[in-house]
Amino acid sequence: MGTERIIKNHMDVLWHEYTDAGGEERPVTEASLTEKASIVGRVGIMLLSCGTGAWRVRSSMNTLSEVMGITCTADIGLMSIEYTCFDGEQGFTQSLCLTNTGVNTSKLNRLEHFIREFEKEGCSMSGEQLHQLLDEIERIHGLYSPVALGFAAALACGGFTFLLGGGPIEMLCAFAGAGLGNFLRCKLTKHHFTLFLGIVSSVALACLVYAGFLKIAEVAWGVSVQHEAGYICAMLFIIPGFPFITSGIDLAKLDMRSGVERFTYALIVVLVATMSAWIMALILHLQPVDFEKMSLPLGAWILFRLLASFCGVFGFSVMFNSPVRLAAVAAGIGAVANTLRLELVDLTACPPAAAAFTGALAAGLLASLIKSRVGYPRISVTVPSIVIMVPGLYLYRGFYNLGMMSLSASASWFASAILIVAALPLGLIFARILTDKTFRYCT
């Protein structure tokens, strides 16, 4: 039997066909409107594929358009861009869309450099040369193998487990479950399997591995079944913190389409992930009980929270395809901001949502202070640094109690989660308003 070829649902755009015939040596500023617009649109859709928000995509498209002497208007969503370019005589309209969405901070950094250098060097290049340069940037795939990304998820969820109140046993089981779960998800994504299959398979494996490791520890060393509480932490690598937070930023800039689409995408991921984990909990007889209390002095709590936050943010940054240096910078900011958030809750009885706002504000301000020294886009530092604050545990417990028809408990968990999810982008937004004049005004 022959294998059936899978036909692409989204056809490839042949960008080099948009260049003018015989214009290989002519600067793009002297090219036709079609050739100029192709550069603008391609950069825009590439930026969108990196996970950045509509405001940044539109700003970059405007920068290129101004240098080439044309005007651009764009309507930007999560997966598509509809844009029109004018040169005073003609107009060119195009609709572009992605096959999938994700986060790639390494490619985002390269595109930011391309845009910054365009006015000095790029404008003297031909359209064909620019498309060849964009071909090279587009070929940037993940910096890390599925094995490395599995370890990154394991590190992140291990740190997450401690921050939520888990001890060494929960951390070890979550480390193993998250590592294997994200490894499977990366392998499925690499082979272009659909989103729902990747979520369900990876969450199911993470829960299964956690339960298996705990059962082995229970039989071999008499470990208490109370440690089953950490199974939730093993699947927190799936929580879509990046689209959650960028949706809030887009809504703040009145990019309604992008903001609503990003938020809807995040809700879909959360719904499928929590439903999968709930079904696995029923099959494996797991319950989201409270963690056993640990007794540590205040200094030790702060030190361990700094370390766990650093590991958690570093792991998430690597999962976002950040280079090690960028991941370390985001982890340093996240360690300070997240520990501040947790200590506000513990020491001052600050409401969790208000503490989340303060932590995100601190992360945004710290990122603004070091942005020029680091040389990376602000969003690639700020968003990973507060992803660890996204209340994945609250969201899961809300869905678990909903499934068990404990409606009052479910409403309480969901209400707490909604307040925190709303507070996180607000913190980043106000940090940006305070430190970035271009973001402060509605233009």
Side-chain angles (χ1 to χ4, degrees):
M1 292 178 63
T3 57
E4 183 180 352
R5 187 172 69 91
I6 299 175
I7 300 174
K8 291 183 179 181
N9 190 247
H10 295 266
M11 298 180 71
D12 294 327
V13 179
L14 304 177
W15 291 108
H16 292 269
E17 293 186 355
Y18 287 88
T19 56
D20 300 335
E24 291 81 3
E25 303 298 326
R26 185 173 56 209
V28 70
T29 51
E30 300 175 11
S32 67
L33 175 62
T34 301
E35 185 170 315
K36 293 176 180 178
S38 70
I39 301 294
V40 174
R42 187 177 186 186
V43 170
I45 201 68
M46 287 175 67
L47 280 167
L48 197 64
S49 72
C50 297
T52 192
W55 187 83
R56 172 56 60 195
V57 174
R58 184 180 292 105
S59 176
S60 300
M61 293 172 74
N62 290 345
T63 299
L64 299 179
S65 299
E66 288 174 4
V67 173
M68 291 188 287
I70 59 177
T71 301
C72 178
T73 63
D75 183 25
I76 302 167
L78 170 68
M79 302 278 291
S80 61
I81 297 175
E82 286 79 42
Y83 74 104
T84 299
C85 290
F86 310 90
D87 64 0
E89 296 179 356
Q90 295 178 308
F92 178 90
T93 300
Q94 193 168 35
S95 177
L96 302 170
C97 61
L98 299 171
T99 58
N100 204 350
T101 185
V103 181
N104 190 329
T105 54
S106 177
K107 185 184 290 187
L108 175 61
N109 182 47
R110 287 284 299 275
L111 286 168
E112 290 277 348
H113 281 293
F114 173 87
I115 293 160
R116 282 199 297 269
E117 296 167 2
F118 187 80
E119 188 172 4
K120 297 177 182 178
E121 301 175 9
C123 60
S124 61
M125 299 171 66
S126 69
E128 179 64 27
Q129 290 171 328
L130 290 169
H131 277 301
Q132 289 174 359
L133 185 57
L134 291 172
D135 286 342
E136 294 177 13
I137 298 175
E138 204 160 41
R139 280 193 286 268
I140 298 176
H141 295 296
L143 297 174
Y144 307 100
S145 67
V147 173
L149 292 172
F151 274 110
L155 183 66
C157 291
F160 225 140
T161 305
F162 177 82
L163 296 171
L164 292 171
I169 294 172
E170 289 92 345
M171 292 172 67
L172 178 62
C173 294
F175 184 94
L180 290 172
N182 198 48
F183 169 78
L184 176 62
R185 182 177 70 144
C186 293
K187 294 294 284 187
L188 293 174
T189 301
K190 188 175 181 180
H191 290 91
H192 307 290
F193 283 97
T194 188
L195 173 69
F196 280 28
L197 178 61
I199 295 172
V200 172
S201 302
S202 58
V203 169
L205 180 60
C207 293
L208 188 63
V209 170
Y210 186 98
F213 268 68
L214 184 60
K215 190 64 178 179
I216 292 171
E218 184 184 346
V219 172
W221 299 289
V223 171
S224 170
V225 73
Q226 179 78 8
H227 296 292
E228 71 182 22
Y231 80 92
I232 305 169
C233 304
M235 48 80 71
L236 291 180
F237 63 87
I238 207 77
I239 297 300
F242 215 97
F244 256 139
I245 294 164
T246 52
S247 70
I249 296 172
D250 279 343
L251 290 172
K253 296 298 290 183
L254 297 183
D255 277 309
M256 304 302 291
R257 177 187 166 195
S258 178
V260 170
E261 288 184 12
R262 287 173 186 278
F263 188 71
T264 303
Y265 168 79
L267 286 181
I268 290 171
V269 174
V270 168
L271 177 63
V272 176
T274 52
M275 181 173 283
S276 304
W278 174 57
I279 293 172
M280 290 302 297
L282 295 178
I283 294 172
L284 300 170
H285 305 290
L286 300 171
Q287 292 183 341
V289 295
D290 293 331
F291 290 103
E292 292 183 346
K293 296 291 184 182
M294 291 188 296
S295 179
L296 291 173
L298 178 61
W301 269 119
I302 294 175
L303 180 62
F304 285 131
R305 280 175 170 172
L306 283 168
L307 181 60
S309 298
F310 184 93
C311 292
V313 176
F314 185 86
F316 278 118
S317 295
V318 169
M319 288 166 63
F320 295 151
N321 202 43
S322 298
V324 171
R325 178 168 173 262
L326 174 57
V329 172
I333 293 173
V336 173
N338 193 48
T339 303
L340 171 65
R341 174 183 73 94
L342 294 171
E343 296 307 322
L344 283 174
V345 174
D346 287 353
L347 301 180
T348 68
C350 180
F357 174 85
T358 305
L361 179 67
L365 294 174
L366 287 172
S368 297
L369 288 175
I370 66 171
K371 177 180 178 293
S372 57
R373 298 179 185 176
V374 176
Y376 289 104
R378 189 194 314 252
I379 194 171
S380 63
V381 177
T382 54
V383 176
S385 69
I386 69 168
V387 161
I388 201 167
M389 303 181 193
V390 174
L393 175 66
Y394 290 20
L395 291 167
Y396 173 71
R397 285 196 166 184
F399 191 89
Y400 179 90
N401 283 285
L402 181 64
M404 303 306 291
M405 289 295 111
S406 301
L407 300 183
S408 60
S410 175
S412 177
W413 285 111
F414 275 131
S416 299
I418 290 168
L419 287 172
I420 295 173
V421 167
L424 291 174
L426 279 176
L428 284 188
I429 289 162
F430 275 93
R432 191 74 179 266
I433 288 172
L434 291 171
T435 58
D436 186 352
K437 187 169 67 174
T438 60
F439 193 86
R440 193 177 305 156
Y441 296 96
C442 181
T443 55

